[in-house]
Amino acid sequence: MLPLNMTGKFLISLDCEGKWGVADHLYGKNDKLTARSLDQAYGFIFDLLERHEIKATFAFTSLFSVEEEVIHSYKADFSEMCAMGFDWYAPLVLMLNNQRYDGWIGKDYFRRALHAGHEIGWHGFSHHALDDTCHPDVVDFEISNGIRVADMHGIQLDGLIFPRNRVGNQQKLKKAGFKRYRMARQQMDPISENPWHRLLNEFNIFAKGQTIQSKADDVLTAIPPGEFLNWPSGARSLIPNAITISRWKSILSDASSTGSIVHLWMHPHNLITAPRMMELFEAVIKEASKLIREKRLQNICFNDIG
């Protein structure tokens, strides 16, 4: 763990899930999530981070990090979960029956992240939500199998990003060995539940960094929720890239002068469904890299907090 001095902190967390994250809506723009397009998106991210010597927290959905054979070995389990009434697993059974794995396999990205020295976090086993409304049988199934896959990889998981940012079951997760998690924005700012508020907030070019704030009911160490890099799709496509870049420069500048935290998060596949996002990500990385070289920012990962 790095000493968290008064220098500003720059943190990137990536929700790495492929089609597991959109298993309940495999249509529309999500049809674009293919092995080829994912290769391009992840390759762009890895190359950019390597070029600027920046490390990130890559939080993988467990089944996105393994081979087809491992995924197929869970077919009976998914069928059983469906029979118990847990509908999330139905499209997974369909995918396995059809043996259509395109967009579901991310083992090469997992290996590259690991070998490049990035931090590996957890983003659920099958990407089923894990909040307190989740049935205990599902929570136990997801956690136990997530740990099983981590053991297969020979890694210890202690940081997580909740699927769909639905936070809960912290006590069970702590017993399983997890220590820290990324907060959901609404935990700090309840009004952010409103999508129109989030949209209008993207025009705030005077935005500032965040500080570490735990909630009273937190069992795990809370990582500040950070800011989702604008995904220029739908109404968000109306936001000029120049506005988003100005906003992020303000956040980075504030952190470099106040010692606060800049936490950028996104899904790598967002670069596929909204290619304009590549320009945004590169602009933020370049500005952050400059401040890191000037020793005005410190690049950290989840395990550097708490």
Side-chain angles (χ1 to χ4, degrees):
M1 188 184 302
L2 295 173
L4 296 182
N5 50 38
M6 289 304 294
T7 305
K9 313 297 180 297
F10 180 61
L11 170 64
I12 302 171
S13 61
L14 301 169
D15 301 21
C16 304
E17 59 197 43
K19 283 187 173 176
W20 298 95
V22 295
D24 55 348
H25 51 288
L26 293 166
Y27 47 81
K29 288 190 174 185
N30 292 329
D31 283 339
K32 298 179 180 180
L33 274 62
T34 64
R36 182 176 180 181
S37 63
L38 287 167
D39 280 350
Q40 293 172 341
Y42 278 85
F44 173 80
I45 292 169
F46 282 124
D47 291 346
L48 185 64
L49 295 179
E50 181 179 359
R51 189 158 63 247
H52 291 279
E53 300 181 328
I54 288 176
K55 299 300 182 188
T57 299
F58 284 75
F60 278 85
T61 297
S62 301
L63 288 174
F64 189 52
S65 72
V66 296
E67 297 82 1
E68 294 175 11
E69 295 77 13
V70 176
I71 297 171
H72 197 78
S73 71
Y74 283 97
K75 181 179 177 180
D77 291 321
F78 292 154
S79 297
E80 182 179 350
M81 297 299 279
C82 287
M84 295 169 64
F86 304 126
D87 294 340
W88 169 262
Y89 299 95
L92 310 186
V93 174
L94 182 62
M95 176 268 292
L96 289 168
N97 284 337
N98 295 331
Q99 296 188 31
R100 294 177 180 171
Y101 297 107
D102 194 24
W104 298 83
I105 308 293
K107 64 182 188 301
D108 291 340
Y109 320 133
F110 174 85
R111 291 169 181 166
R112 184 167 178 182
L114 192 62
H115 293 159
H118 294 291
E119 181 184 34
I120 302 295
W122 192 56
H123 192 42
F125 171 65
S126 72
H127 203 269
H128 194 295
L130 295 171
D131 62 352
D132 292 330
T133 67
C134 183
H135 193 283
D137 289 346
V138 174
V139 176
D140 293 342
F141 176 77
E142 292 280 316
I143 294 176
S144 62
N145 284 294
I147 298 301
R148 180 184 175 193
V149 171
D151 289 343
M152 289 170 50
H153 288 311
I155 63 172
Q156 174 70 47
L157 294 172
D158 62 17
L160 77 145
I161 294 172
F162 283 92
R164 303 277 166 93
N165 283 316
R166 288 167 55 180
V167 177
N169 285 290
Q170 291 193 45
Q171 194 65 55
K172 280 190 174 183
L173 288 158
K174 182 177 182 179
K175 288 180 180 178
F178 290 94
K179 298 178 181 176
R180 50 191 69 83
Y181 79 101
R182 185 181 73 199
M183 298 178 73
R185 186 59 186 259
Q186 56 268 29
Q187 288 177 273
M188 288 179 58
D189 183 17
I191 197 174
S192 65
E193 288 272 19
N194 186 317
W196 292 108
H197 171 79
R198 295 197 300 271
L199 179 64
L200 291 174
N201 196 44
E202 291 295 330
F203 289 93
N204 178 11
I205 61 171
F206 303 106
K208 299 183 182 300
Q210 297 174 343
T211 56
I212 297 174
Q213 298 181 33
S214 292
K215 304 297 289 183
D217 57 351
D218 272 333
V219 174
L220 305 174
T221 296
I223 307 292
E227 301 282 351
F228 179 61
L229 182 64
N230 185 49
W231 177 52
S233 179
R236 284 175 170 267
S237 66
L238 300 175
I239 303 168
N241 276 14
I243 292 291
T244 300
I245 292 170
S246 293
R247 182 170 186 270
W248 279 92
K249 284 185 175 181
S250 172
I251 297 171
L252 289 162
S253 176
D254 175 72
S256 69
S257 60
T258 66
S260 60
I261 295 176
V262 182
H263 182 179
L264 179 154
W265 75 272
M266 66 177 191
H267 310 86
H269 66 252
N270 293 146
L271 304 183
I272 300 169
T273 53
R276 266 178 53 199
M277 204 169 173
M278 298 174 81
E279 177 190 344
L280 300 176
F281 187 60
E282 185 166 12
V284 175
I285 294 300
K286 284 182 176 179
E287 182 68 15
S289 176
K290 171 178 171 290
L291 294 171
I292 290 168
R293 290 195 307 272
E294 294 172 354
K295 301 190 183 304
R296 296 169 60 194
L297 276 184
Q298 182 182 21
N299 178 206
I300 65 170
C301 292
F302 277 24
N303 60 11
D304 296 315
I305 299 177

